[in-house]
Structure formats: C-alpha cells, structure tokens
Amino acid sequence: MKKSKLEAAKSMAKAHSLVEPNLKRVCLIEPLDNDDPNDPIKLLEVVEGTLEMGIEPVAFTADPARGIEYPSIIVEISPDEYQEIRDLGFAKFHRKRVDLLGKKGSVAVAPKHRRALRSNVAREQQRAERRDGWTLGEELLAR
Amino acid sequence: MIVRPTDQDWARGYAKQALSDLRAREALVRAGTDKCHRLHFLQMAAEKACKAYLATENGHMNVRKSHAYVKRHLPTMARHFYKVISNNKISQWEISEIRRLAKEIELLAPACDDGDVRKDNAEYPWEDSKGRIQIPCEYEFPGIDDGDRRLVRLVKLIYAASEAYSR
C-alpha cells in the first residue's frame, strides 16, 4: 500500500540523516497536497556549514522502483537562515535576500550591467511570490 | 572603436547561462523527464560555472572550448566558495564526494570518454563493450544517482558560483 505523503516525508528525513552527517533538522514545508501525487513533498533541511544562499529549492523525481513514491523538493539552509525563516516567514526572508542583491548591485555593478541585474532581481521577486504560500510545517527530525 | 569584452563580462556570460541550465534542470525534474536530460543540464551547468570561475581567476583566454573542466575545477571551486560565502573550510569527505560526482558529470559530455574507456554520455547513442547500441534515454547511468540527497550540495555550489559571477 502506498504511504501517505507525511509518512513518506518522515522516511525521507530519516534516510537523509544517514547520508548527510551535518543535517541538524528537517521540517516539512506546507502546504502538503495529499490529493495530487505529482505535487512534491517539500522539505526544509538545516545543515551546519552549508553555503548560505537563501531558498534555493532542489527538485528530485519520484522513483517508485526504489520506494520513493513522490517527487520532492529539498531546501537546504544553514542554522542561522533557519532562525531567520522562523522569525520572518519564507516570503519575507526571501525578499530580504532579494533586497540585499539589489543593494549590492547598485554599488558594485557597472552601469552597462545594471539592466541585467534588474532582470535578476525581478526574476527573484517573481520566485519569492511563488513562495508566499509556504509555511513551516511539522518537524520531522532534530538532532 | 570596438571595446573588447573583459574577463568579467565573459564570466558573467557563462554564469548566467549556467543559472539558466540549472533552472532548466529543475523544470525537467519536475516534469519527470528521462534521466539523461536531467543529467545533461546538470553537466552543462557545472561546466559553465567552472568556466565562469576560470575566466575570473585565470582570464578568458585560458578558457577553451573543451568540456573537460568539471572534474578538475569543481572541487577547487568548492573550496573557494565555502571559504568566501560561508567562511567555512569544506570538509575532506565533502570534497571527496564532490570530486566523485564531478568526474561522473564530466563524463556525461560526449567529448569526454576517459581515454576511450567511457562512451556513456547524456546525448548520443554509443556502442558498448558487448557490441550493443546503448541509448541515453534508456540508459540508467549507474555512476550517478540524481535522486541522491548528496546531490543537493553540488547543485547549491553551482548555484552559488553562478549567482556570484552573474552580477
């Protein structure tokens, strides 16, 4: 019988802790759509020493032959970033990062490249809007 | 008068294309496409991120059209970015893992065959050692598991480098 998405997410968290020794915490990212098998399970994974670069989701396919019944997305962040997400929520956290990108650009980027930078920022803003609905869900692993 | 592009211009070009390749990989994963396509875009992104790094560090004149950059330069790039971005020294086991993945990723390019030993690649059919035709869209690529959690570190590294050089 096929596992529920929550059960599958718990199994994933456990499996990930076996291959990632610096993994400190795994939380579910809501919403979790139980009715759509193609909607990925989204996991927020707190890893000590990871590159701090905000919310950069990495997607994985389902692989039923190996017992992975649903597609997934992993967002790997540092402990400091986790604290910020707890304080600000996903959308504000991401917007803060986008603002930082814009500010850095206005100082460091030559005029001929500012248009490209603005398009980067605009793209990041669109991506942030897609994460407006994300919230921190159940904690699946802590160590 | 024509103003020649600088090394920084070239690095920005490679980096922006690497970011686009990574986004394409994400879209392909979410669409559930064959593994060869997912790996192909990962290979292209890794190669361009390495070229952005090299154009910055050594100058664009030293970046050639070769695809054989990933195995050698991805681990170096990892050390550099862990130090610059997170002020962390990357651990030996992380570097070993990146080195292993980098070798497999480089071999996904048809032009890289490890001295005629590895014909498997993400784009074109090849003849295996038993005289059978292998087709990328049907091949399992046993050397690289793109469903493995450990891939996150590598993808983040490519994102981080590409984002830094695309500014």
Side-chain angles (χ1 to χ4, degrees), chain A residues 25-62:
Chain A
R25 194 182 294 271
V26 180
C27 296
L28 200 60
I29 298 173
E30 303 272 11
L32 184 68
D33 185 346
N34 278 304
D35 298 328
D36 180 2
N38 296 318
D39 187 62
I41 293 169
K42 301 179 286 296
L43 298 178
L44 186 76
E45 301 200 343
V46 183
V47 174
E48 209 161 68
T50 189
L51 292 170
E52 289 193 346
M53 48 180 307
I55 301 167
E56 203 55 76
V58 180
F60 291 90
T61 51

Short mmCIF file of all heavy atoms in Angstrom, two decimals, chain A residues 25-62:
data_model
loop_
_atom_site.label_atom_id
_atom_site.label_comp_id
_atom_site.label_asym_id
_atom_site.label_seq_id
_atom_site.Cartn_x
_atom_site.Cartn_y
_atom_site.Cartn_z
N ARG A 25 18.31 19.31 11.33
CA ARG A 25 16.86 19.41 11.49
C ARG A 25 16.18 19.28 10.13
O ARG A 25 16.72 19.76 9.13
CB ARG A 25 16.56 20.81 12.05
CG ARG A 25 15.19 21.03 12.62
CD ARG A 25 15.07 22.48 13.08
NE ARG A 25 15.94 22.79 14.21
CZ ARG A 25 15.59 22.65 15.48
NH1 ARG A 25 14.39 22.20 15.81
NH2 ARG A 25 16.44 22.97 16.44
N VAL A 26 15.02 18.63 10.13
CA VAL A 26 14.23 18.56 8.90
C VAL A 26 12.79 18.94 9.24
O VAL A 26 12.21 18.40 10.18
CB VAL A 26 14.23 17.14 8.28
CG1 VAL A 26 13.40 17.11 7.00
CG2 VAL A 26 15.65 16.67 7.98
N CYS A 27 12.26 19.90 8.50
CA CYS A 27 10.86 20.30 8.69
C CYS A 27 10.11 20.17 7.37
O CYS A 27 10.69 20.39 6.30
CB CYS A 27 10.76 21.77 9.12
SG CYS A 27 11.50 22.10 10.71
N LEU A 28 8.86 19.86 7.50
CA LEU A 28 8.00 19.85 6.33
C LEU A 28 7.70 21.30 5.95
O LEU A 28 7.55 22.15 6.82
CB LEU A 28 6.71 19.13 6.72
CG LEU A 28 5.84 18.56 5.63
CD1 LEU A 28 6.58 17.53 4.80
CD2 LEU A 28 4.61 17.93 6.27
N ILE A 29 7.63 21.56 4.66
CA ILE A 29 7.14 22.87 4.21
C ILE A 29 5.70 22.67 3.75
O ILE A 29 5.42 21.80 2.91
CB ILE A 29 8.00 23.44 3.05
CG1 ILE A 29 9.45 23.65 3.51
CG2 ILE A 29 7.40 24.74 2.54
CD1 ILE A 29 10.40 24.05 2.39
N GLU A 30 4.80 23.42 4.34
CA GLU A 30 3.39 23.36 3.97
C GLU A 30 3.14 24.38 2.86
O GLU A 30 3.88 25.36 2.76
CB GLU A 30 2.50 23.69 5.19
CG GLU A 30 2.75 22.79 6.39
CD GLU A 30 1.91 21.52 6.37
OE1 GLU A 30 1.29 21.22 5.32
OE2 GLU A 30 1.89 20.83 7.41
N PRO A 31 2.13 24.23 2.04
CA PRO A 31 1.11 23.19 2.09
C PRO A 31 1.58 21.86 1.51
O PRO A 31 2.45 21.83 0.64
CB PRO A 31 -0.01 23.78 1.23
CG PRO A 31 0.66 24.68 0.26
CD PRO A 31 1.86 25.22 0.96
N LEU A 32 0.97 20.81 2.01
CA LEU A 32 1.24 19.47 1.53
C LEU A 32 -0.06 18.97 0.89
O LEU A 32 -1.05 18.78 1.58
CB LEU A 32 1.63 18.58 2.71
CG LEU A 32 2.05 17.15 2.42
CD1 LEU A 32 3.37 17.12 1.66
CD2 LEU A 32 2.19 16.37 3.72
N ASP A 33 -0.02 18.84 -0.42
CA ASP A 33 -1.24 18.44 -1.14
C ASP A 33 -1.32 16.92 -1.21
O ASP A 33 -0.65 16.29 -2.02
CB ASP A 33 -1.21 19.07 -2.55
CG ASP A 33 -2.50 18.81 -3.31
OD1 ASP A 33 -3.29 17.95 -2.87
OD2 ASP A 33 -2.72 19.48 -4.34
N ASN A 34 -2.15 16.35 -0.38
CA ASN A 34 -2.26 14.90 -0.34
C ASN A 34 -3.03 14.31 -1.51
O ASN A 34 -2.95 13.12 -1.77
CB ASN A 34 -2.93 14.46 0.98
CG ASN A 34 -1.91 14.42 2.10
OD1 ASN A 34 -0.90 13.74 2.02
ND2 ASN A 34 -2.18 15.19 3.15
N ASP A 35 -3.81 15.17 -2.18
CA ASP A 35 -4.65 14.65 -3.27
C ASP A 35 -3.92 14.55 -4.59
O ASP A 35 -4.35 13.83 -5.48
CB ASP A 35 -5.88 15.57 -3.44
CG ASP A 35 -6.73 15.57 -2.17
OD1 ASP A 35 -6.76 14.52 -1.50
OD2 ASP A 35 -7.31 16.62 -1.84
N ASP A 36 -2.86 15.32 -4.74
CA ASP A 36 -2.15 15.32 -6.02
C ASP A 36 -0.80 14.60 -5.87
O ASP A 36 0.14 15.15 -5.29
CB ASP A 36 -1.93 16.78 -6.48
CG ASP A 36 -1.19 16.86 -7.81
OD1 ASP A 36 -0.87 15.79 -8.39
OD2 ASP A 36 -0.91 17.99 -8.26
N PRO A 37 -0.69 13.38 -6.42
CA PRO A 37 0.57 12.63 -6.26
C PRO A 37 1.76 13.30 -6.94
O PRO A 37 2.91 12.99 -6.63
CB PRO A 37 0.25 11.27 -6.90
CG PRO A 37 -0.91 11.50 -7.78
CD PRO A 37 -1.69 12.65 -7.20
N ASN A 38 1.47 14.20 -7.89
CA ASN A 38 2.58 14.87 -8.58
C ASN A 38 3.06 16.13 -7.87
O ASN A 38 4.08 16.71 -8.25
CB ASN A 38 2.16 15.24 -10.01
CG ASN A 38 1.88 14.00 -10.82
OD1 ASN A 38 2.62 13.01 -10.74
ND2 ASN A 38 0.79 14.01 -11.58
N ASP A 39 2.31 16.56 -6.86
CA ASP A 39 2.74 17.73 -6.09
C ASP A 39 3.87 17.27 -5.16
O ASP A 39 3.68 16.35 -4.36
CB ASP A 39 1.57 18.29 -5.28
CG ASP A 39 1.94 19.59 -4.60
OD1 ASP A 39 2.26 20.54 -5.30
OD2 ASP A 39 1.97 19.61 -3.34
N PRO A 40 5.03 17.89 -5.25
CA PRO A 40 6.17 17.36 -4.49
C PRO A 40 6.07 17.57 -2.98
O PRO A 40 5.48 18.54 -2.52
CB PRO A 40 7.37 18.15 -5.06
CG PRO A 40 6.79 19.39 -5.63
CD PRO A 40 5.39 19.07 -6.07
N ILE A 41 6.69 16.66 -2.25
CA ILE A 41 6.89 16.85 -0.81
C ILE A 41 8.02 17.87 -0.68
O ILE A 41 9.07 17.71 -1.31
CB ILE A 41 7.32 15.51 -0.16
CG1 ILE A 41 6.17 14.50 -0.22
CG2 ILE A 41 7.81 15.73 1.27
CD1 ILE A 41 6.59 13.09 0.14
N LYS A 42 7.81 18.89 0.14
CA LYS A 42 8.82 19.94 0.27
C LYS A 42 9.46 19.84 1.66
O LYS A 42 8.75 19.92 2.67
CB LYS A 42 8.19 21.32 0.06
CG LYS A 42 7.54 21.48 -1.31
CD LYS A 42 6.90 22.83 -1.50
CE LYS A 42 5.61 23.03 -0.75
NZ LYS A 42 4.51 22.16 -1.15
N LEU A 43 10.76 19.68 1.69
CA LEU A 43 11.47 19.55 2.97
C LEU A 43 12.45 20.69 3.16
O LEU A 43 13.21 21.03 2.25
CB LEU A 43 12.25 18.22 3.02
CG LEU A 43 11.43 16.93 2.93
CD1 LEU A 43 12.38 15.73 2.95
CD2 LEU A 43 10.42 16.83 4.05
N LEU A 44 12.41 21.27 4.35
CA LEU A 44 13.39 22.28 4.73
C LEU A 44 14.45 21.55 5.57
O LEU A 44 14.13 21.01 6.63
CB LEU A 44 12.73 23.39 5.55
CG LEU A 44 13.65 24.56 5.88
CD1 LEU A 44 13.84 25.45 4.66
CD2 LEU A 44 13.07 25.40 7.02
N GLU A 45 15.68 21.54 5.10
CA GLU A 45 16.72 20.79 5.80
C GLU A 45 17.81 21.74 6.29
O GLU A 45 18.42 22.48 5.50
CB GLU A 45 17.29 19.71 4.87
CG GLU A 45 16.18 18.75 4.41
CD GLU A 45 16.66 17.41 3.91
OE1 GLU A 45 17.86 17.26 3.59
OE2 GLU A 45 15.82 16.51 3.82
N VAL A 46 18.04 21.71 7.58
CA VAL A 46 19.02 22.62 8.21
C VAL A 46 20.35 21.87 8.33
O VAL A 46 20.43 20.85 9.00
CB VAL A 46 18.53 23.07 9.60
CG1 VAL A 46 19.51 24.08 10.20
CG2 VAL A 46 17.12 23.66 9.50
N VAL A 47 21.34 22.38 7.61
CA VAL A 47 22.64 21.70 7.55
C VAL A 47 23.72 22.66 8.01
O VAL A 47 23.87 23.76 7.47
CB VAL A 47 22.93 21.21 6.11
CG1 VAL A 47 24.33 20.63 6.01
CG2 VAL A 47 21.90 20.18 5.68
N GLU A 48 24.47 22.23 9.01
CA GLU A 48 25.56 23.05 9.53
C GLU A 48 26.67 23.14 8.48
O GLU A 48 27.07 22.11 7.92
CB GLU A 48 26.10 22.44 10.81
CG GLU A 48 26.67 23.44 11.76
CD GLU A 48 26.75 22.86 13.16
OE1 GLU A 48 27.56 21.94 13.35
OE2 GLU A 48 25.98 23.30 14.02
N GLY A 49 27.14 24.35 8.21
CA GLY A 49 28.27 24.51 7.29
C GLY A 49 27.88 24.63 5.83
O GLY A 49 28.74 24.76 4.97
N THR A 50 26.57 24.61 5.53
CA THR A 50 26.17 24.72 4.12
C THR A 50 26.39 26.15 3.61
O THR A 50 26.48 27.09 4.40
CB THR A 50 24.68 24.32 3.92
OG1 THR A 50 24.42 24.25 2.52
CG2 THR A 50 23.74 25.31 4.56
N LEU A 51 26.47 26.29 2.31
CA LEU A 51 26.59 27.62 1.71
C LEU A 51 25.32 28.40 1.99
O LEU A 51 24.22 27.90 1.74
CB LEU A 51 26.79 27.50 0.20
CG LEU A 51 28.10 26.89 -0.28
CD1 LEU A 51 28.05 26.62 -1.78
CD2 LEU A 51 29.28 27.80 0.03
N GLU A 52 25.46 29.60 2.50
CA GLU A 52 24.27 30.40 2.80
C GLU A 52 23.86 31.15 1.55
O GLU A 52 24.54 32.07 1.11
CB GLU A 52 24.57 31.38 3.93
CG GLU A 52 24.73 30.66 5.26
CD GLU A 52 24.71 31.60 6.45
OE1 GLU A 52 24.84 32.82 6.25
OE2 GLU A 52 24.56 31.10 7.57
N MET A 53 22.76 30.75 0.97
CA MET A 53 22.32 31.43 -0.26
C MET A 53 20.79 31.49 -0.34
O MET A 53 20.23 31.56 -1.43
CB MET A 53 22.93 30.79 -1.49
CG MET A 53 22.83 29.29 -1.54
SD MET A 53 23.58 28.64 -3.03
CE MET A 53 22.73 29.58 -4.27
N GLY A 54 20.15 31.47 0.80
CA GLY A 54 18.70 31.64 0.82
C GLY A 54 17.97 30.39 0.38
O GLY A 54 18.48 29.28 0.50
N ILE A 55 16.75 30.62 -0.13
CA ILE A 55 15.89 29.48 -0.50
C ILE A 55 16.19 29.10 -1.95
O ILE A 55 15.81 29.81 -2.87
CB ILE A 55 14.41 29.85 -0.34
CG1 ILE A 55 14.14 30.24 1.11
CG2 ILE A 55 13.52 28.69 -0.75
CD1 ILE A 55 12.80 30.92 1.31
N GLU A 56 16.89 28.04 -2.11
CA GLU A 56 17.21 27.56 -3.47
C GLU A 56 16.76 26.11 -3.55
O GLU A 56 17.51 25.19 -3.25
CB GLU A 56 18.73 27.69 -3.70
CG GLU A 56 19.15 27.76 -5.14
CD GLU A 56 18.46 28.88 -5.91
OE1 GLU A 56 18.82 30.05 -5.76
OE2 GLU A 56 17.54 28.55 -6.69
N PRO A 57 15.51 25.90 -3.96
CA PRO A 57 14.97 24.53 -3.94
C PRO A 57 15.66 23.64 -4.97
O PRO A 57 15.96 24.08 -6.07
CB PRO A 57 13.50 24.71 -4.33
CG PRO A 57 13.22 26.17 -4.25
CD PRO A 57 14.51 26.86 -4.46
N VAL A 58 15.93 22.41 -4.57
CA VAL A 58 16.49 21.41 -5.49
C VAL A 58 15.47 20.28 -5.61
O VAL A 58 15.04 19.70 -4.61
CB VAL A 58 17.84 20.86 -4.96
CG1 VAL A 58 18.41 19.83 -5.93
CG2 VAL A 58 18.84 22.01 -4.76
N ALA A 59 15.06 20.02 -6.86
CA ALA A 59 13.97 19.06 -7.09
C ALA A 59 14.50 17.65 -7.34
O ALA A 59 15.59 17.46 -7.89
CB ALA A 59 13.15 19.52 -8.30
N PHE A 60 13.72 16.67 -6.91
CA PHE A 60 14.03 15.26 -7.14
C PHE A 60 12.78 14.56 -7.68
O PHE A 60 11.66 14.88 -7.25
CB PHE A 60 14.47 14.57 -5.84
CG PHE A 60 15.80 15.05 -5.34
CD1 PHE A 60 15.91 16.13 -4.49
CD2 PHE A 60 16.98 14.43 -5.76
CE1 PHE A 60 17.14 16.59 -4.04
CE2 PHE A 60 18.21 14.89 -5.32
CZ PHE A 60 18.29 15.95 -4.47
N THR A 61 12.99 13.61 -8.56
CA THR A 61 11.85 12.87 -9.12
C THR A 61 11.43 11.76 -8.15
O THR A 61 12.21 11.32 -7.32
CB THR A 61 12.21 12.20 -10.46
OG1 THR A 61 13.41 11.46 -10.28
CG2 THR A 61 12.39 13.20 -11.56
N ALA A 62 10.21 11.29 -8.34
CA ALA A 62 9.78 10.07 -7.65
C ALA A 62 10.53 8.90 -8.29
O ALA A 62 10.93 8.98 -9.45
CB ALA A 62 8.28 9.89 -7.83
#
